Amino acid sequence: MPDTTADASVDNSRRNWIAITCGAGAVGGVAVAVPFVSSLAPSERARAAGAPVQVDIGAIQPGEKLTVEWRGKPVWIVRRTPEQLAALPKVDALLADPNSQRKPDELTPEYARNEHRSIKPEVLVAVGICSHLGCSPSDKFQPGAQPSLPDDWAGGFLCPCHGSTFDMAGRVYKNKPAPDNLEVPPHMYLSDTRLLIGEDKKA
Ligand code: FES
């Protein structure tokens, strides 16, 4: 199981995104790590709300996604397959912001402003909240024709609320309600398999 430090914005915000996700039938991935900190004192909860979260990503297999909570938001960690990585440049022309140039300070840290939007090419780290009205998109990793998606679907995410689609790097497709790519949160590797979400500089 991943080892996460407590994050507590927990109560309301966590319930909100879990409710949205469940309502959309979109729970996916290998596990959902939700730290429970309701037993903490209010001051401890407030401190934990902004704390970075440590995650062991060693057990995530290619093609799988792990969801952890950071600041009350779902953060996805996806270990992409070689095929999923190879598909990324092929959809550039269909995307609204293929080079992550919009709101870079908010959405894409400098170390993720590349084709795969990540530090390690295979590991995507992204906040799973649609940039339209805040629903949590569903995993649609399987390429090819399927309901609500184009016949040449390359794999990615579908927001069930109003149909926005994102590729396997969280980049939004053109002409969709969502204006922007999914946010890549600040993060860094503490070791090959240990990720820190919420901080990207060594103290
Ligand atoms: S909230 Fe995602 S498309 Fe509207």
Side-chain angles (χ1 to χ4, degrees), residues 129-137 158-166 176-178:
I129 295 180
C130 179
S131 56
H132 181 219
L133 294 178
C135 291
S136 192
L158 167 68
C159 185
C161 292
H162 313 94
S164 292
T165 44
F166 303 84
K176 298 291 180 181

